[in-house]
Amino acid sequence: MRRLLPTAPDVTDLTSLEGLAEAYAYPDSVAEGRPWLRANMVSSLDGAARLDGLSEGLSSEADKRIFGVLRALADVVLVGAQTVRAEGYRPARARAEFAAARAARGQAPAAAIAVVTGRLDLDLDAPLFTEPLVPTLVITSASAPADAVKAAGRVADVVVAGDERVDPAAMVAALAGHGWTRLLTEGGPRLLGQLTAAGVLDELCLSLAPLLASGDAPRISNGPAGQAERMELVSLLEEKGFLFARYARSVNPAD
Ligand SMILES: NC(=O)c1ccc[n+]([C@@H]2O[C@H](COP(=O)([O-])OP(=O)(O)OC[C@H]3O[C@@H](n4cnc5c(N)ncnc54)[C@H](OP(=O)(O)O)[C@@H]3O)[C@@H](O)[C@H]2O)c1
């Protein structure tokens, strides 16, 4: 893996997982209780967010390495219920390579997976709920079916954020209120679309796969219209033709 931007010499060793973790560190403000929400998504060159129904076909070994590093840095991984259903989400693993750093930051051995859902149509017998190292979260709204909320509460920690639908800003505030400030979302596109429209996304880690997918797959963000938001390129890495861009919310949007 090589770094294309910034071009200034860097001592970070991108060949090691520790070096990658350093390159993707959350801002220091998370330790002061200020949440930072980053998304990690992969897209084809022509904007497809999935291939044959899943993101797997767009990924690569390096993409998976970065995916693992971003999880290892996070307190909570937010994911839309459809991605959980389509991709058979499992709990995040504790990995020996990151154990010491997580302990030093006061984090649990692995990130909690947080499923965002309105209907709670979830397989509560799946390993995501029966075998997590840290309890899985179910984030829903006050109008969710009461029986389903009760059933989910037996195997997961339920967080209610919003009345009719999960409200992105209320969700981020609720997570920060529990002390979870290193937030990561892995999509899918409909969840990301709402997060971007609500203006709560601080950072996008975008993997660009050197592939023309064709077809009618959605792009990585698929939701209601919101205010267009200017982002700044923080870094750009490359491996085997895949680009790994990191964009943060622009501090000077007028520039
Ligand atoms: N390219 C990538 O990086 C990437 C990443 C992830 C997934 N994917 C692909 O994307 C596809 C799935 O994505 P998707 O866009 O269809 O769905 P999604 O965003 O994963 O999930 C949508 C579901 O999330 C819940 N949800 C989202 N916003 C909500 C809100 N404000 N309030 C309440 N519930 C809310 C709803 O669940 P309920 O229906 O349970 O109410 C909704 O049906 C899969 O094919 C997956 O492989 C690609």
Side-chain angles (χ1 to χ4, degrees):
M1 181 165 298
R2 61 188 175 129
R3 194 173 73 148
L4 304 179
L5 287 170
T7 49
D10 185 15
V11 289
T12 309
D13 171 18
L14 295 174
T15 61
S16 74
L17 287 174
E18 292 78 7
L20 263 185
E22 199 182 309
Y24 279 93
Y26 279 88
D28 294 342
S29 54
V30 293
E32 292 148 20
R34 293 222 297 278
W36 181 268
L37 174 57
R38 66 166 40 140
N40 182 31
M41 303 293 287
V42 61
S43 170
S44 70
L45 294 177
D46 53 347
R50 61 187 186 212
L51 199 64
D52 300 328
L54 296 175
S55 54
E56 170 73 24
L58 298 171
S59 188
S60 69
E61 199 276 322
D63 179 53
K64 291 189 174 113
R65 209 180 314 138
I66 289 175
F67 180 95
V69 164
L70 294 180
R71 277 194 167 192
L73 291 168
D75 296 329
V76 176
V77 178
L78 300 163
V79 62
Q82 186 53 31
T83 295
V84 169
R85 292 186 284 257
E87 303 206 347
Y89 253 56
R90 298 182 64 86
R93 293 186 291 130
R95 293 175 57 184
E97 307 93 309
F98 302 112
R102 286 191 70 90
R105 290 191 293 267
Q107 293 177 294
I113 303 287
V115 185
V116 180
T117 175
R119 296 183 297 126
L120 288 100
D121 176 16
L122 303 168
D123 178 3
L124 299 178
D125 295 324
L128 180 59
F129 298 102
T130 58
E131 296 174 11
L133 265 176
V134 285
T136 292
L137 305 173
V138 169
I139 304 183
T140 191
S141 66
S143 64
D147 288 357
V149 172
K150 201 170 163 193
R154 290 191 201 105
V155 291
D157 289 346
V158 177
V159 175
V160 175
D163 297 329
E164 292 302 314
R165 305 275 296 152
V166 172
D167 176 69
M171 172 174 72
V172 170
L175 293 171
H178 281 87
W180 294 310
T181 53
R182 297 171 183 87
L183 307 179
L184 169 67
T185 181
E186 294 173 352
R190 282 187 288 152
L191 176 61
L192 185 65
Q194 294 180 53
L195 301 177
T196 51
V200 298
L201 198 72
D202 298 297
E203 179 183 340
L204 174 64
C205 298
L206 177 65
S207 302
L208 195 60
L211 186 81
L212 293 168
S214 73
D216 59 0
R219 58 196 174 93
I220 59 162
S221 175
N222 180 9
Q227 180 82 30
E229 192 147 21
R230 181 81 182 269
M231 305 292 279
E232 272 174 16
L233 183 61
V234 177
S235 70
L236 184 62
L237 311 180
E238 186 273 347
E239 187 173 305
K240 295 187 177 163
F242 279 74
L243 293 177
F244 302 98
R246 184 176 174 199
Y247 289 92
R249 192 199 294 276
S250 179
V251 281
N252 297 309
D255 289 353

